[in-house]
Amino acid sequence: MMDLTQKQWVRHAVTHPVEGFEDMRWKKAGSLKIAMLIVVLLFFGEIAYGRLYGFQFYISYDKTFNIIPYIVRSFVLFGAWAVGNWSVCTLLDGEGTLRNISIYSAYALIPYVAQLYLNVILSHFLIRDEYVFMQVIKFIGVGWTVMLLFSAVKSVHQYSFKKTVLAIGFTLSAMFIMLFLLVLFMSLIQQIYIFISTIYTELSYRAKV
């Protein structure tokens, strides 16, 4: 089997959606550093897509910059996917480790990340009548990533086609549950903070009086 560098494995996995991840598994290839770099690029790509898009295609009405939604759409969702898939597939006799799931999933995101940056750049050069080209690029990027993600899950866990579909469905359900619990936890923390802040303000006022 081929002997490639880590960067070459990235290109091989992305350009060979059927056997790329399978080859990576047998060669025990994949870099966690590169995977984390891809997620960081996803984070900045989401920011660029939301804030730097050409005004003729998208106008942001937000007067202040809030980084939280971009963290959620990148780091939080990716982490929820990796942990959710690992948790679910452990119960379904999957062979993938959390490390390999994270690496393979990050590699699968490359087409989606690439279309974010490409569409942001094109939005400053194309006119509204040429918006269809940007839509085609987005469709290809998203579709390619979905195909790679499916292949990544299938290869890392050594599942059949049907079991891969089942695992992805359960993973999405697990992600929804985790994000729902996270929202509840953050809401609880906020309520506790408000309660403590109110008590502190009241005590400070009475101490001054």
Side-chain angles (χ1 to χ4, degrees):
M1 192 177 292
M2 63 199 74
D3 187 15
L4 305 176
T5 64
Q6 294 294 354
K7 293 181 180 179
Q8 289 174 330
W9 274 115
V10 175
R11 184 171 63 252
H12 179 71
V14 174
T15 56
H16 297 78
V18 177
E19 72 275 7
F21 290 108
E22 194 68 36
D23 293 339
M24 284 181 58
R25 179 180 179 276
W26 288 111
K27 292 291 289 186
K28 293 180 170 51
S31 169
L32 191 59
K33 291 181 179 179
I34 294 178
M36 293 302 100
L37 176 61
I38 294 170
V39 178
V40 171
L41 290 175
L42 171 64
F43 169 67
F44 287 109
E46 291 288 355
I47 293 177
Y49 195 86
R51 307 296 299 186
L52 302 178
Y53 216 70
F55 67 91
Q56 66 269 37
F57 298 104
Y58 172 75
I59 299 177
S60 176
Y61 295 98
D62 298 331
K63 300 301 181 182
T64 58
F65 175 70
N66 185 3
I67 199 173
I68 301 300
Y70 303 107
I71 293 177
V72 172
R73 290 204 294 264
S74 54
F75 297 110
V76 174
L77 283 181
F78 180 81
W81 164 268
V83 173
N85 185 258
W86 174 76
S87 302
V88 167
C89 293
T90 297
L91 301 176
L92 296 177
D93 299 322
E95 298 182 10
T97 62
L98 182 59
R99 178 182 183 275
N100 285 343
I101 293 170
S102 300
I103 292 173
Y104 289 22
S105 299
Y107 285 15
L109 289 175
I110 290 178
Y112 176 78
V113 175
Q115 68 85 21
L116 287 176
Y117 288 97
L118 184 57
N119 272 335
V120 169
I121 294 173
L122 290 177
S123 68
H124 294 278
F125 294 97
L126 300 182
I127 61 176
R128 293 186 65 88
D129 292 340
E130 298 171 327
Y131 182 61
V132 62
F133 296 109
M134 298 166 63
Q135 289 181 310
V136 169
I137 292 174
K138 183 176 182 178
F139 177 79
I140 293 175
V142 173
W144 198 348
T145 284
V146 170
M147 182 170 56
L148 289 176
L149 204 56
F150 182 89
S151 178
V153 173
K154 184 176 184 296
S155 298
V156 75
H157 295 296
Q158 291 296 283
Y159 283 160
S160 63
F161 181 89
K162 292 183 178 179
K163 199 168 184 178
T164 302
V165 174
L166 183 66
I168 292 177
F170 282 146
T171 299
L172 295 176
S173 300
M175 288 177 64
F176 176 80
I177 294 173
M178 285 189 291
L179 293 175
F180 178 73
L181 293 177
L182 178 61
V183 171
L184 290 181
F185 176 74
M186 295 300 296
S187 177
L188 177 62
I189 293 298
Q190 184 181 24
Q191 293 299 322
I192 293 175
Y193 171 78
I194 294 174
F195 176 72
I196 295 176
S197 177
T198 302
I199 293 178
Y200 175 78
T201 302
E202 184 67 22
L203 291 177
S204 298
Y205 174 77
R206 290 184 180 275
K208 292 179 180 179
V209 173

